[in-house]
Amino acid sequence: MTRVFSGIKPTGHLTLGNYLGAIRRWADVDQYQSDALFCIVDLHALTVDHDPARVRRLTRQDATLLLATGLDPKLCTVFVQSHVDEHARLSYVLECVATDGEMRRMIQYKEKSARERERGGSVRLSLLTYPALMAADILAYGTDEVPVGDDQAQHVELARDLAVRFNQRYGHTFVVPRTASPRVAARVMNLQEPTSKMGKSDDSGPGIVYLLDEPETVRKKIMRAVTDSGRGVVYDQAEQPGIANLLEILAACTGGDPEALSGEYETYGALKKDTAEAVVEVLRPVQDRHRELCTDPAYVEAVLRDGAERARAMARPTVDAAYRAIGLLPAVAEEAEPNATR
Ligand code: TRP
């Protein structure tokens, strides 16, 4: 079975964009069709200025929300990155395979470090080495496929390069992952700035619908979405990004097609109203289940404990094999050779 790995960083509250763009598919498709691991990548949340209490809180909340969206620990493995030492162990080895130049070429590093410097802040070294850790996340599990958005494609590409290079130099150790073929997931944009993604790390609230927003808040945000002065309800991403975004969201929530839906509306108001209700309905079961799970934190903890144990058992043999291959002396007498890749 195809092994799939994906991660979310606990750096902000999860949004409708995260849900319609990725997480919903993990729950509805990936966990059934593949051997999937979903990881709250908390170590990655430490690469920029952070508040320890907030990271801890968001890690717990993200785990709870993932379960609330329907991820079933009987079908997939849900766990927290820092609970499995193998990520950090392998990350170091991959830093010894990667080059300084290739890390500095990463677009996300260039953008984030420039922004930080502009603000007069300092750039953490871990922001530069982040892609090595991400490659470790992926390679430790013999991952075949990594379902992520375009913004992460370059990092997955790097993980591929590192796997190939390591295998060539030190012997076949890693499965070379594929960037999951572009998926027909919705690309949800910020309601106030429909040309930029509805990301969780942006702090401008009014354009972002959070998974845990109250129905009234969801309605208000959508009714206040910016629209385009123009030709009525047409689906045109370049000319009418605001309307196109609402149509995309409505289509993603109702299973329709944005182009076809545009024909059903005369006014922006009617489109907004239906979009708001569709979003409220999509979020309702997730919020209900989240509320339930919050009354049982011991259950969520048990899922994470069990997930980490399973993840560790999967990653251990591969990371041990990488340590041996690169020349590190095993601490204990070699056991029977474990399968290097799986
Ligand atoms: N870098 C990803 C992001 O910012 C999160 C991530 C970390 C990830 N490790 C991963 C995604 C491994 C997929 C696989 O969204």
Side-chain angles (χ1 to χ4, degrees):
M1 220 192 309
T2 305
R3 179 157 294 169
V4 167
F5 184 103
S6 200
I8 47 169
K9 240 179 339 186
T11 47
H13 295 285
L14 290 178
T15 70
L16 183 68
N18 299 131
Y19 183 62
L20 295 179
I23 299 170
R24 184 170 66 167
R25 196 189 148 94
W26 299 353
D28 292 355
V29 181
D30 292 330
Q31 69 171 349
Y32 295 102
Q33 295 186 351
S34 51
D35 174 7
L37 294 112
F38 300 108
C39 184
I40 323 284
V41 287
D42 54 350
L43 296 174
H44 289 283
L46 311 185
T47 55
V48 290
D49 243 349
H50 79 286
D51 168 6
R54 185 162 191 266
V55 170
R56 202 175 299 124
R57 200 168 56 241
L58 285 171
T59 299
R60 194 175 292 121
Q61 189 186 77
D62 284 356
T64 310
L65 267 170
L66 285 186
L67 298 175
T69 65
L71 289 186
D72 178 350
K74 287 193 210 69
L75 298 172
C76 65
T77 303
V78 180
F79 71 107
V80 174
Q81 184 187 31
S82 66
H83 294 177
V84 179
D85 292 342
E86 267 48 49
H87 296 251
R89 277 180 80 210
L90 182 56
S91 178
Y92 177 73
V93 162
L94 294 176
E95 284 180 26
C96 300
V97 176
T99 68
D100 169 70
E102 112 194 294
M103 291 290 158
R104 288 184 196 282
R105 274 199 299 279
M106 294 291 117
I107 294 162
Q108 198 172 65
Y109 172 72
K110 287 202 269 192
E111 287 178 357
K112 284 194 178 175
S113 59
R115 221 178 302 144
E116 194 55 52
R117 289 198 181 94
E118 239 165 63
R119 283 203 307 228
S122 57
V123 177
R124 294 186 182 182
L125 178 58
S126 54
L127 187 69
L128 178 64
T129 56
Y130 173 117
L133 179 59
M134 178 162 162
D137 301 339
I138 295 166
L139 300 183
Y141 296 94
T143 303
D144 300 298
E145 236 167 60
V146 188
V148 284
D150 316 337
D151 60 325
Q152 293 299 319
Q154 199 187 23
H155 293 160
V156 179
E157 216 35 61
L158 180 70
R160 279 178 62 90
D161 292 347
L162 296 181
V164 169
R165 195 177 307 154
F166 188 102
N167 288 347
Q168 277 168 354
R169 274 189 205 159
Y170 306 113
H172 185 80
T173 306
F174 297 121
V175 172
V176 179
R178 291 189 292 277
T179 322
S181 47
R183 304 175 307 127
V184 252
R187 205 170 139 71
V188 178
M189 312 302 272
N190 188 300
L191 297 168
Q192 293 299 320
E193 267 170 71
T195 48
S196 59
K197 211 170 99 166
M198 188 188 283
K200 63 174 141 55
S201 310
D202 315 337
D203 34 20
S204 76
I208 302 175
V209 174
Y210 294 101
L211 286 192
L212 293 178
D213 276 347
E214 298 285 338
E216 258 332 288
T217 310
V218 172
R219 291 190 183 100
K220 225 178 268 163
K221 285 176 177 174
I222 293 180
M223 294 312 288
R224 289 181 190 161
V226 300
T227 45
D228 317 282
S229 52
R231 313 167 283 146
V233 180
V234 286
Y235 181 62
D236 182 341
Q237 263 162 339
E239 294 297 319
Q240 305 231 54
I243 292 301
N245 189 33
L246 291 170
L247 287 165
E248 286 272 347
I249 294 172
L250 179 62
C253 290
T254 58
D257 170 72
E259 181 85 59
L261 283 167
S262 67
E264 295 177 21
Y265 293 93
E266 300 275 316
T267 65
Y268 292 166
L271 171 63
K272 284 180 170 177
K273 201 146 175 287
D274 281 6
T275 305
E277 290 317 312
V279 171
V280 167
E281 285 315 310
V282 159
L283 295 187
R284 189 191 307 281
V286 176
Q287 295 184 349
D288 288 349
R289 178 93 180 109
H290 178 262
R291 211 171 297 121
E292 253 173 63
L293 287 166
C294 283
T295 65
D296 194 0
Y299 169 76
V300 177
E301 260 169 48
V303 167
L304 294 180
R305 208 179 315 120
D306 179 57
E309 217 166 281
R310 266 151 51 192
R312 214 175 286 126
M314 287 185 238
R316 197 25 110 31
T318 304
V319 178
D320 282 351
Y323 266 52
R324 278 197 301 276
I326 205 168
L328 300 170
L329 181 69
V332 289
E334 302 245 342
E335 306 153 25
E337 186 77 1
N339 185 330
T341 50
R342 273 284 156 79

